[in-house]
Amino acid sequence: MGDFDVVIAGGGPVGLWLAAELRRADVRVVVLEKRAERVPYSKAMTMYPRTIEMFAMRGVAERFLAEGRPLPSSHFAILSNRLDFSFLETRYPFTLFLPQRRTEELLEEQLAELGVPLLRSHEVTGVRQIPDETHPSGVAADVRTPSGPAVFSGSYLVGCDGAGSVVRRAAGIGFDGTPSTWYTIMGDVEMSDPPSGPALTLSTRAGSLFMLPVGGSRWRIATVDYATLHAAPEGPVSFGDLRATALRLAGTDFGMRETPDAWLSRVGSETRQAAAYRAGRVFLAGDAAHIHFPAGGQGLNLGLQDAANLAWKLSLAVHGRDPSWLLDSYEAERIPVGLEVIEDSLAQCGLFANPSREGVALRDRFNRMLGENQSLSRSLAVRLSGLGIRYAPAGGAADPRGAGSCASPLAGRRVPDLDLRDAPAQSVYGLLRPGKFVLLGLPAVPAPLDIAKYSDNLEIVTAEFAGNHPEWADVRAMLIRPDGYLAWALRESDPVSDPPLAAWLG
C-alpha cells in the first residue's frame, strides 16, 4: 500500500491531531481507523486551557471556541465548591465543553485541508519491526481492509488505538494497573426540566451527580450511586437504571425522556498505564498509553498533549535531524505527566466513590476546605488546567548534555502567549504557528552566527515584550520548542551564552 514516514493506528482525536502536526512538518503520514463511521455519541466533553493554547499555537483555536461552551470554572471530585479558572494566566481561563464527536469532525476537516489520508474500515491486526534489505529500519502494519489484507509500512508507527490497543500488545508493552472494582453510569438524554445554570455538581448522602448541557434539550448526566456502586454489571445500562439513579441522588429525574438516540454507558474504575511509551520504532499515545476513571474529564486533554509532544520529535527524526536522545525524551517527559493525571483521578475517586460513613465525612470536609482555602483551590485549578505541566530540564534521557541548556531555571516551563512589539506576530503563539522552534531575542542580544543549517526547523525573531509580564521581564532571549515549552532561556543576570541549537536540532 506504499511507504509512509509515519503510520498512525487509530482515528480518534489523538491520532487526528498527531497526523495534522506531522503533516505541517512535511511528514508523509497516514491514519488507519477500523471503524467505518464515526460513533454518534461523545465519550469526552471537556477541553482545558492548555489544550486550547495548543490549538492556538497552530491558528485553529477559534474553530473550537466558536462551537464550544465556555465555563469559567471546573469541579474537583464533583464537589459543590468549584475551582475558579478566572485567575489563570492564559487567554483561555475557562473550561470549554464540546462533544467529542464535534471535536473529531473539526480535526478531520483539518486533515482534509492538509491532504492527509484517513482510511476508514482499515483495522490494524499486527505490527512488525522490519529490518530487511528493502527497509533497513522501519515498521510494517498488517491491516484488514475492505479489499482484503494489506501491509502499510513506515519509518515509525504510533498506536493511538485506545485502551485495547493492538499496537501495544504487538509491541510487547505491558499495561500495568488495576481492573474495575466499582461502576458508575452516565448518559446523554433529553430533559424537559433540566437544572438552571450552565452545569450542576451535586453531592448527597446517596452519592454524587454531575450534569451539563450538550445541545438542544439534551444533557450529559454522570452519576456515582452508592446503592449500585459495587454491584456486578448485568447487561447494558437501561433508561430505567439512569432514571432511578437520578431520583435517588437528586430527588428528581429532571424530566428525562426516553428517545431512540439516547446514549447510555457504564464506566468502571479500571486504571492502567503502559510500562513504556516506546518500543523501538513503535510509540503509544492517548488511551493506548493510559486509562483512568474520567474524573474531571482529563483524558482527552492528556492524549492530545501526548500527540503535541511526540509530533515535532518524530518530524525531526524523519528528516534525519534528531539528536540521539530526543525520541527517548517523549517517554521520559510524558510518563510522569500521565502518572500525575492518574493519581489526580484516583484522589478524586477516593473522595466521591467511598460510600462508608468515613468516606462521606472526608468528602464533605474536603469540600468545606476547598471553599475556605483559596490557595488549595488555585493549586488544584492550575493542575487541572494543564498550565502547570513542566518538563524536567536536566537528567535522564531528556538532557541535551554538555549544551548548557539546563542552566536556566526556566527550562522546561510552558511559555504563555506573551504579547510582542516589533515582531512578525503580535504574540508568541503567532510565531509558533508554523510548528518550528522559535529563537526569540530582545534587540540587545545578537543572533548566533551559525544558523543557516537550522533554517528549516527554526524561526529567529528579534522583538520586545509588550504589556505587563513580570515573570518574564528579565528574559533576554529564549529558545521555544514547537509545543510551546522552553528549551533554553537567557536572563539578564546570566552570563552570555549561545542557545543550544545543535543539542535540540541535531
Side-chain angles (χ1 to χ4, degrees):
M1 301 302 295
D3 289 343
F4 296 88
D5 296 320
V6 179
V7 176
I8 296 175
V14 176
L16 296 175
W17 182 250
L18 176 61
E21 287 283 86
L22 288 168
R23 189 68 197 112
R24 291 186 184 99
D26 199 28
V27 172
R28 296 174 304 148
V29 59
V30 63
V31 180
L32 308 175
E33 170 53 50
K34 69 178 180 180
R35 295 171 299 181
E37 297 179 353
R38 187 180 298 107
V39 295
Y41 56 83
S42 296
K43 291 172 59 179
M45 294 287 299
T46 308
M47 283 188 195
Y48 284 122
R50 185 55 182 167
T51 299
I52 307 172
E53 286 188 343
M54 180 186 71
F55 291 150
M57 292 176 203
R58 302 298 181 258
V60 298
E62 291 302 323
R63 303 186 186 191
F64 299 87
L65 294 171
E67 301 200 29
R69 180 190 298 268
L71 187 66
S73 66
S74 187
H75 73 83
F76 185 84
I78 324 182
L79 299 175
S80 58
N81 283 316
R82 297 176 64 84
L83 307 180
D84 178 20
F85 277 12
S86 63
F87 77 96
L88 295 172
E89 295 182 4
T90 175
R91 298 185 191 275
Y92 313 103
F94 48 78
T95 303
L96 187 72
F97 291 124
L98 182 65
Q100 179 177 328
R101 178 182 174 87
R102 187 57 186 146
T103 296
E104 290 186 9
E105 290 172 348
L106 292 171
L107 292 172
E108 191 171 335
E109 288 174 11
Q110 288 184 66
L111 287 200
E113 294 167 6
L114 293 166
V116 177
L118 168 60
L119 305 181
R120 294 194 175 275
S121 299
H122 281 60
E123 180 180 3
V124 175
T125 59
V127 175
R128 295 169 286 119
Q129 304 212 36
I130 49 170
D132 59 27
E133 65 280 359
T134 307
H135 300 84
S137 56
V139 186
D142 299 312
V143 183
R144 184 182 296 119
T145 81
S147 303
V151 176
F152 285 75
S153 58
S155 298
Y156 300 95
L157 185 143
V158 185
C160 303
D161 51 341
S165 174
V166 170
V167 173
R168 187 186 63 241
R169 293 198 300 270
I173 298 174
F175 206 32
D176 305 327
T178 53
S180 292
T181 56
W182 48 266
Y183 300 87
T184 68
I185 60 175
M186 68 170 61
D188 291 347
V189 295
E190 300 283 340
M191 294 185 179
S192 61
D193 188 24
S196 59
L200 172 67
T201 48
L202 181 67
S203 296
T204 74
R205 295 293 172 179
S208 300
L209 178 147
F210 175 62
M211 293 178 60
L212 62 99
V214 295
S217 58
R218 186 177 295 267
W219 282 66
R220 162 71 52 88
I221 176 170
T223 67
V224 180
D225 186 353
Y226 292 162
T228 60
L229 190 66
H230 293 287
E234 296 182 2
V237 179
S238 71
F239 181 82
D241 294 332
L242 185 63
R243 183 175 183 275
T245 287
L247 288 169
R248 276 193 294 269
L249 298 178
T252 175
D253 67 357
F254 303 100
M256 290 183 188
R257 292 195 295 261
E258 186 171 10
T259 58
D261 59 349
W263 174 63
L264 303 170
S265 179
R266 181 178 285 109
V267 182
S269 59
E270 184 177 12
T271 302
R272 301 184 185 276
Q273 186 175 37
Y277 284 16
R278 179 189 184 188
R281 290 176 172 262
V282 175
F283 295 81
L284 303 175
D287 286 355
H290 39 68
I291 58 170
H292 54 85
F293 187 84
Q298 299 176 78
L300 173 66
N301 300 269
L302 180 61
L304 288 171
Q305 290 162 38
D306 286 344
N309 184 288
L310 178 59
W312 65 270
K313 298 173 181 179
L314 276 180
S315 69
L316 285 176
V318 164
H319 296 307
R321 300 298 300 269
D322 61 313
S324 60
W325 57 272
L326 189 61
L327 288 181
D328 284 336
S329 76
Y330 168 64
E331 175 179 287
E333 291 185 341
R334 293 307 294 175
I335 278 185
V337 177
L339 182 59
E340 182 77 12
V341 171
I342 284 173
E343 290 182 344
D344 182 87
S345 170
L346 291 172
Q348 294 189 59
C349 291
L351 289 170
F352 64 61
N354 187 347
S356 69
R357 183 178 181 185
E358 294 84 356
V360 172
L362 177 62
R363 181 199 67 187
D364 293 346
R365 176 60 59 91
F366 191 88
N367 183 50
R368 289 196 297 272
M369 292 171 61
L370 199 57
E372 296 165 356
N373 192 323
Q374 187 183 65
S375 63
L376 173 61
S377 177
R378 289 192 167 198
S379 175
L380 292 174
V382 170
R383 286 174 176 270
L384 201 61
S385 70
L387 301 180
I389 294 171
R390 180 171 183 172
Y391 297 127
D399 181 4
R401 300 186 187 280
S405 64
C406 304
S408 172
L410 295 176
R413 280 186 56 175
R414 153 192 167 264
V415 180
D417 193 18
L418 303 169
D419 297 309
L420 300 174
R421 184 184 302 114
D422 300 326
Q426 295 181 339
S427 67
V428 166
Y429 290 0
L431 299 179
L432 288 168
R433 189 162 295 186
K436 299 180 180 182
F437 275 79
V438 171
L439 179 59
L440 176 61
L442 302 186
V445 180
L449 298 178
D450 188 15
I451 60 173
K453 60 185 176 182
Y454 304 114
S455 59
D456 289 346
N457 301 299
L458 177 68
E459 297 282 347
I460 298 178
V461 177
T462 300
E464 294 181 341
F465 293 137
N468 183 28
H469 305 295
E471 283 191 76
W472 301 85
D474 67 339
V475 175
R476 302 161 64 190
M478 61 176 76
L479 180 63
I480 308 170
R481 298 167 18 163
D483 57 356
Y485 290 88
L486 200 59
W488 167 89
L490 184 68
R491 285 178 151 168
E492 291 178 354
S493 57
D494 297 333
V496 175
S497 63
D498 290 332
L501 299 183
W504 285 94
L505 292 166

